Amino acid sequence: MKGTILLVVVAFLGLTGSARAHIGSSTVVFDGAAGPYPVRVIVAPPPVVPGRAEITVRLLEEKPEAVKITVLPVFWNAGLKGAPAPDEATPVAGDPALRQAELWLMTSGSYSVHVAVSGERGSGTAIVPVISVATRRLPMSTGLGVLLSCLGILLFAGAITLVGIGVRDSVTESDVARTARQKRIGRIASLLAFLIFGTALYAAKRWWDDEDRNYRNNRMYRPLPLEAVYRNSGAQPMIALEIPSQGATGFIGKTRLAFIPDHGKLMHLFLVREPELDALAHLHPRRTAANFFEVEAPPLPAGRYRLYADVTEENGFAETLTTTLELPAGATAADFASSSSRDVDDSWFAGIPAGNGEASGLLHRIGPAQIRVGEAVGLRFAARDEAGRALTLEPYMGMLGHAAIRRTDGTVFAHIHPTGTISMSAQMRFARAAARQTGQPEPMDHSMHEMHLENDGTVSFPYVFPQAGRYRIWVQTKIQGKVVTGVFDVDVSSNK
Amino acid sequence: MSGEVQVQPHPASRFPWLLAILVAAIFSSATGGPWDISWHLTIGRDTFWTPAHIAIYFGGATAGLVCGGLAIWTTFFATDPERRAVVNFWGGRAPFGAWIVIWGAVAMLTAGPFDDWWHNAYGLDVKIISPPHVVLFLGGVAVRFGSWLLVLREQNRGSAVAPWLFCILGGLLLEELAMIFMVEFWPNRQHSEEYFFLTAATFPFLLTAIARASNLRWGATLAAGTYMVFVCGLVWILPLFPAVTKLGPISHPVTQMVPPPFPQWLILPALAIDLVRQPFGVKRDWTRDVAFAATVSAIFLLLFFPTQWFFSAFYLTPAADNWFFAGNRVWGYTSAPAGTPRLKEFWMNEHGWALVSLVKAGGAAFLVALLGRRFGHWMSEVKR
């Protein structure tokens, strides 16, 4: 049932191949807690703005009790003051743990959706950042176009005929009583009507074209452009990034370069070697000037790389910028791994999935067995040593794991966490703003604390695959103080 | 000619209740339009099947079906004299007004899927005026205008009740005009040059046409009175219903359905037009028509503009802030917060008043009144 709810929306969202936070993957998935209640929130944003998003909230408990769930979208600069009453999420037939509702996203930009759950155990709110942008220009289907054209021609011809009848026939007693003069006036009136209505129709067509052009040029989302070069001038080769300034004034606001750090990093950069997808790097470039970032080039095999840079703006708007870069052979200093100048959280990996598809080094994929388009799944991985004993996972940048998911042809790329697809810094920003507005203490920012979380050696990433096909997944975590990467292939089947 | 006594057999005469249904359908659409605007100002979001939308479509569909049925019946089942008494359109036979109503209904139906696609392609409504909405408006105007002509035909053939219906429907056409330009006619804009130019360029057309074509001594007055009573009905009834705003951000909280502003005082120029028109007669004569148009222009300049000037000034004061006038109660939830000075000020005064403004408005009123009078000549001759 939930698959059906999501599938229709996600299926044609998948056709957009659009860039937003992540690439080609606009469904927002969040695993977290609303007070004492663990929930999974999934938001399928609309492809146009203003538009309606579908939101589902699943209570992730053995026996979900009777609770009331409400949802409320809050625009980033509006806040809770001036928000309307929340909508109640209604139960989905056949699935007692699932509720659904609609969110009306009336303007472009960054929203936080407040999901409030209240019941016997108390109440709480989960805050889910959602990006509202127009990503699709809908072409008119042939059938509808033919129908409207036929009706339009009918109306046009009808209008001209009516003018002639009005001038000539309606004022006479009967058809034979028409004089020659009246017939002539009728013809002149019809000709004038043809000219006037024809001009009006032409003007209307121009108006439609203007609206369409305005939509395509000004209202549809375009990510910030990104350029990357490889610099080998000093002792340590660098990757230099630039966000060209003419692309920087996006339609959302003037402050698209006002980035906020996510787990202490202004930018999370992924490099994936194409087309073999046999090398990955996860780097954290430093900002050297308003439009410029740089990072030490890690030891990666030579080749052409696709770059994905995740950033989050001050208003909570998260996006993924992308470009390509050629890396030559021997592209790093010999002592790179122990160099003190690089960010210790930078990691890199070369390798392909193992033959059996289930284990990659210390990491094993333990579920789910079947993945279908449009269904929310928890991609589960476990760390085991050679003897099969569970290994404790340690936080890597504050989280038990990071996963980079890419469809082999590049139309989908997502960088996700155990909390889902959201930008954690956006969520923190909204939570702080909400706390200030309601007079509650601000939530603590745990992102910089390396907490030792008790775990059983497994980590799960919730995700909704937007298209069928083959995907490669890189999973990163820390084991015994070192970053460990595993790579896996999964096949996502269509929902037939 | 108006007042003709020779009665031709006519299909609509066989079904006099047709006119009653048509008038009810027009009332339904006329209510739905401003109701929908109030909905958007108060509740904010709607789907296809809100009561206001149903009222609009029900009116258009009913009128279309009634006239479509009339056309089918007249084409295939009427007697020859009855068929001759109506016009031929692409082989079918029906009164002229009925064809216009059918055209309007088809336009309204075309607007439906077109608007649905538009929302999916370019986003939900934030503007009143979009191409699909224009198709809908044209269809709605045609349905009203066609019904008006059907009633006119009955009047010109001697019906006793048709003259009254003609003026009442004329009043609803005035109301639709005022609704389409609701933003431009907003009380806070009524001291600007644009307001006077636009009212001068629109209302005199209908008032002079009605005055010329109506059989009643006080035809234009009845039409203007209908417009004012209808809008007052909305002003008084809408706020009786509580409502909850469902979209944010809410900058101006509202708890009742927001009414439209108090109607404009069209009854005064209409009364003046009815008073002075008799000496001008009813013949198609350019000299008389020009003189009449000049008189109407003078009436607007000397009577309507000063009335609206002082009334709108009154309207922005606390004395008008009550249920009767609904001054200061017309603001939707996206307006500036209550108490903002801007809400009580006149806007666009930088385009304010000079002698040239009066000349422009007076000139527009003159031209439009002339067109209206000529149009009224044609209307008074509609027989089929």
Side-chain angles (χ1 to χ4, degrees):
Chain A
M1 177 43 73
K2 64 181 157 115
T4 320
I5 294 166
L6 278 175
L7 177 64
V8 172
V9 182
V10 172
F12 63 47
L13 282 181
L15 293 174
T16 67
S18 62
R20 299 159 70 130
H22 320 302
I23 307 261
S25 176
S26 56
T27 304
V28 175
V29 186
F30 171 70
D31 267 9
Y37 302 99
V39 290
R40 171 172 292 167
V41 179
I42 298 180
V43 180
V48 292
V49 178
R52 292 193 287 262
E54 302 279 334
I55 180 170
T56 62
V57 181
R58 175 178 289 283
L59 296 156
L60 294 174
E61 289 184 302
E62 289 290 322
K63 284 193 189 13
E65 64 182 63
V67 294
K68 182 168 158 187
I69 301 185
T70 63
V71 297
L72 175 71
V74 179
F75 194 58
W76 71 272
N77 71 353
L80 285 169
K81 177 173 63 78
D87 286 308
E88 184 160 356
T90 54
V92 174
D95 197 337
L98 193 63
R99 306 283 171 93
Q100 69 176 29
E102 269 187 343
L103 302 169
W104 289 64
L105 304 178
M106 298 304 289
T107 184
S108 289
S110 148
Y111 276 85
S112 60
V113 180
H114 291 227
V115 180
V117 183
S118 61
E120 277 172 10
R121 266 187 281 155
S123 60
T125 303
I127 294 185
V128 183
V130 170
I131 310 298
S132 166
V133 283
T135 52
R136 177 191 69 185
R137 179 182 170 275
L138 182 67
M140 190 177 275
S141 69
T142 320
L144 183 65
V146 165
L147 174 70
L148 290 180
S149 302
C150 288
L151 286 169
I153 292 171
L154 199 68
L155 289 169
F156 183 73
I160 295 172
T161 311
L162 284 170
V163 167
I165 293 174
V167 167
R168 184 189 57 234
D169 293 341
S170 67
V171 294
T172 50
E173 284 289 338
S174 67
D175 291 347
V176 299
R178 286 186 299 218
T179 65
R181 181 171 171 273
Q182 277 173 325
K183 287 188 193 158
R184 195 173 61 242
I185 290 180
R187 276 196 290 270
I188 294 175
S190 294
L191 181 64
L192 270 177
F194 176 76
L195 290 171
I196 293 174
F197 295 156
T199 310
L201 206 59
Y202 173 71
K205 172 78 171 53
R206 289 277 301 268
W207 180 21
W208 184 349
D209 288 342
D210 273 347
E211 291 279 330
D212 187 66
R213 199 176 324 116
N214 177 51
Y215 179 79
R216 276 184 287 115
N217 294 345
N218 301 333
R219 290 177 49 200
M220 274 185 75
Y221 168 72
R222 278 179 300 199
L224 291 171
L226 183 69
E227 285 167 10
V229 293
Y230 168 79
R231 278 207 314 255
N232 198 3
S233 46
Q236 166 63 46
M238 306 288 283
I239 296 173
L241 301 167
E242 182 188 355
I243 300 175
S245 48
Q246 59 260 41
T249 50
F251 69 100
I252 286 178
K254 299 184 285 278
T255 54
R256 279 183 90 183
L257 291 184
F259 300 142
I260 52 177
D262 190 335
H263 290 88
K265 323 287 184 194
L266 276 183
M267 178 186 283
H268 293 256
L269 179 70
F270 285 85
L271 284 80
V272 177
R273 188 158 173 265
E274 288 182 333
E276 303 87 345
L277 307 187
D278 58 357
L280 173 103
H282 179 177
L283 311 175
H284 305 96
R286 295 177 301 278
R287 190 172 217 163
T288 54
N291 295 51
F292 294 91
F293 290 76
E294 65 175 21
V295 66
E296 289 76 8
L300 286 170
R304 195 184 78 126
Y305 284 78
R306 166 63 61 176
L307 273 58
Y308 301 99
D310 281 350
V311 292
T312 302
E313 292 171 41
E314 225 168 36
N315 57 22
F317 191 87
E319 43 182 341
T320 302
L321 320 181
T322 183
T323 186
T324 54
L325 179 67
E326 286 281 342
L327 282 182
T332 194
D335 60 348
F336 181 76
S338 55
S339 157
S340 56
S341 63
R342 72 176 187 93
D343 188 328
V344 295
D345 290 320
D346 286 355
S347 60
W348 57 95
F349 171 83
I352 58 172
N356 63 12
E358 278 184 11
S360 175
L362 295 174
L363 294 174
H364 300 244
R365 187 166 96 80
I366 56 176
Q370 239 210 353
I371 303 177
R372 277 197 283 264
V373 161
E375 280 185 353
V377 294
L379 300 164
R380 295 185 62 222
F381 300 89
R384 302 198 186 111
D385 61 13
E386 293 85 6
R389 286 183 301 245
L391 293 165
T392 305
L393 303 176
E394 291 151 33
Y396 172 28
M397 286 186 289
M399 281 178 278
L400 270 190
H402 300 247
I405 302 178
R406 181 187 143 127
R407 193 165 185 264
T408 44
D409 66 358
T411 53
V412 177
F413 177 83
H415 161 210
I416 68 177
H417 305 103
T419 49
T421 61
I422 61 161
S423 157
M424 314 272 303
S425 54
Q427 186 186 51
M428 179 57 56
R429 181 236 178 264
F430 285 123
R432 280 203 214 103
R436 276 198 299 273
Q437 287 198 318
T438 54
Q440 281 164 9
E442 290 193 14
M444 284 214 311
D445 181 358
H446 295 289
S447 64
M448 295 307 293
H449 302 175
E450 294 281 343
M451 297 182 298
H452 182 70
L453 308 155
E454 284 297 326
N455 64 80
D456 56 357
T458 66
V459 63
S460 178
F461 301 91
Y463 189 59
V464 174
F465 283 87
Q467 295 181 49
R470 168 157 288 205
Y471 291 76
R472 185 154 286 182
I473 304 178
W474 292 265
V475 179
Q476 295 187 305
T477 183
K478 242 190 207 173
I479 297 175
Q480 289 160 3
K482 283 186 7 187
V483 177
V484 163
T485 304
V487 61
F488 306 86
D489 278 347
V490 297
D491 286 307
V492 175
S493 55
S494 61
N495 207 339
K496 293 263 160 44
Chain B
M1 302 295 249
S2 47
E4 184 186 277
V5 292
Q6 183 187 18
V7 176
Q8 294 288 345
H10 177 258
S13 311
R14 278 228 222 167
F15 314 113
W17 38 266
L18 274 179
L19 284 183
I21 295 179
L22 269 180
V23 172
I26 304 296
F27 261 97
S28 175
S29 290
T31 311
W35 188 2
D36 195 41
I37 292 179
S38 174
W39 192 290
H40 280 272
L41 289 176
T42 317
I43 301 175
R45 66 190 202 204
D46 62 0
T47 53
F48 189 76
W49 297 109
T50 58
H53 289 170
I54 292 175
I56 297 173
Y57 273 101
F58 173 76
T62 307
L65 282 172
V66 158
C67 291
L70 183 61
I72 290 174
W73 186 87
T74 313
T75 307
F76 297 112
F77 301 106
T79 63
D80 271 346
E82 281 169 332
R83 266 199 279 268
R84 277 198 297 276
V86 296
V87 299
N88 180 332
F89 177 87
W90 292 352
R93 299 208 75 109
F96 178 52
W99 293 117
I100 297 187
V101 169
I102 293 171
W103 186 97
V106 172
M108 286 175 84
L109 283 176
T110 306
F114 186 26
D115 199 32
D116 191 60
W117 175 85
W118 189 273
H119 292 156
N120 288 335
Y122 303 120
L124 299 169
D125 287 330
V126 278
K127 294 190 281 200
I128 297 183
I129 309 219
S130 67
H133 288 173
V134 167
V135 175
L136 184 67
F137 290 155
L138 286 175
V141 168
V143 166
R144 291 192 205 196
F145 183 63
S147 307
W148 204 30
L149 288 181
L150 269 174
V151 169
L152 182 66
R153 189 211 173 272
E154 295 309 302
Q155 172 193 264
N156 292 351
R157 297 256 183 201
S159 157
V161 74
W164 298 85
L165 294 178
F166 174 71
C167 293
I168 290 173
L169 285 184
L172 291 182
L173 269 173
L174 279 171
E175 182 271 330
E176 175 151 35
L177 186 63
M179 185 196 73
I180 289 175
F181 291 114
M182 191 176 188
V183 169
E184 288 79 4
F185 293 164
W186 201 254
N188 302 64
R189 290 178 193 235
Q190 289 186 8
H191 277 201
S192 71
E193 186 188 74
E194 281 82 359
Y195 168 75
F196 288 107
F197 184 79
L198 196 55
T199 48
T202 50
F203 290 127
F205 178 83
L206 275 174
L207 286 176
T208 47
I210 293 169
R212 169 62 189 87
S214 171
N215 273 359
L216 301 177
R217 175 72 183 89
W218 304 102
T221 311
L222 176 58
T226 304
Y227 152 73
M228 289 192 71
V229 166
F230 188 83
V231 177
C232 280
L234 294 166
V235 171
W236 297 330
I237 295 177
L238 277 172
L240 297 177
F241 291 89
V244 173
T245 306
K246 295 231 174 105
L247 278 186
I250 304 171
S251 40
H252 188 114
V254 293
T255 51
Q256 317 286 123
M257 292 291 283
V258 171
F262 199 80
Q264 295 162 86
W265 286 92
L266 287 177
I267 199 166
L268 290 178
L271 196 58
I273 288 173
D274 277 337
L275 267 172
V276 304
R277 69 177 157 102
Q278 290 218 307
F280 292 92
V282 294
K283 282 213 305 232
R284 276 179 195 258
D285 181 80
W286 278 101
T287 319
R288 290 184 190 227
D289 290 344
V290 163
F292 184 69
T295 311
V296 169
S297 174
I299 288 173
F300 263 77
L301 281 177
L302 297 173
L303 187 58
F304 179 67
F305 292 171
T307 308
Q308 280 309 124
W309 183 278
F310 290 112
F311 182 74
S312 57
F314 158 74
Y315 202 68
L316 295 186
T317 64
D321 190 351
N322 48 52
W323 167 83
F324 186 87
F325 287 108
N328 203 38
R329 298 182 182 200
V330 297
W331 304 106
Y333 72 92
T334 56
S335 309
T340 310
R342 190 175 137 74
L343 299 184
K344 290 189 143 52
E345 291 165 352
F346 279 108
W347 307 338
M348 302 174 69
N349 273 2
E350 67 274 10
H351 302 170
W353 274 92
L355 189 59
V356 72
S357 320
L358 282 172
V359 170
K360 281 198 233 176
F366 169 75
L367 282 171
V368 158
L370 186 59
L371 275 172
R373 176 138 172 111
R374 300 300 293 189
F375 195 71
H377 286 317
W378 169 76
M379 283 208 289
S380 68
E381 291 171 19
V382 168
K383 300 175 181 58
R384 301 201 275 164

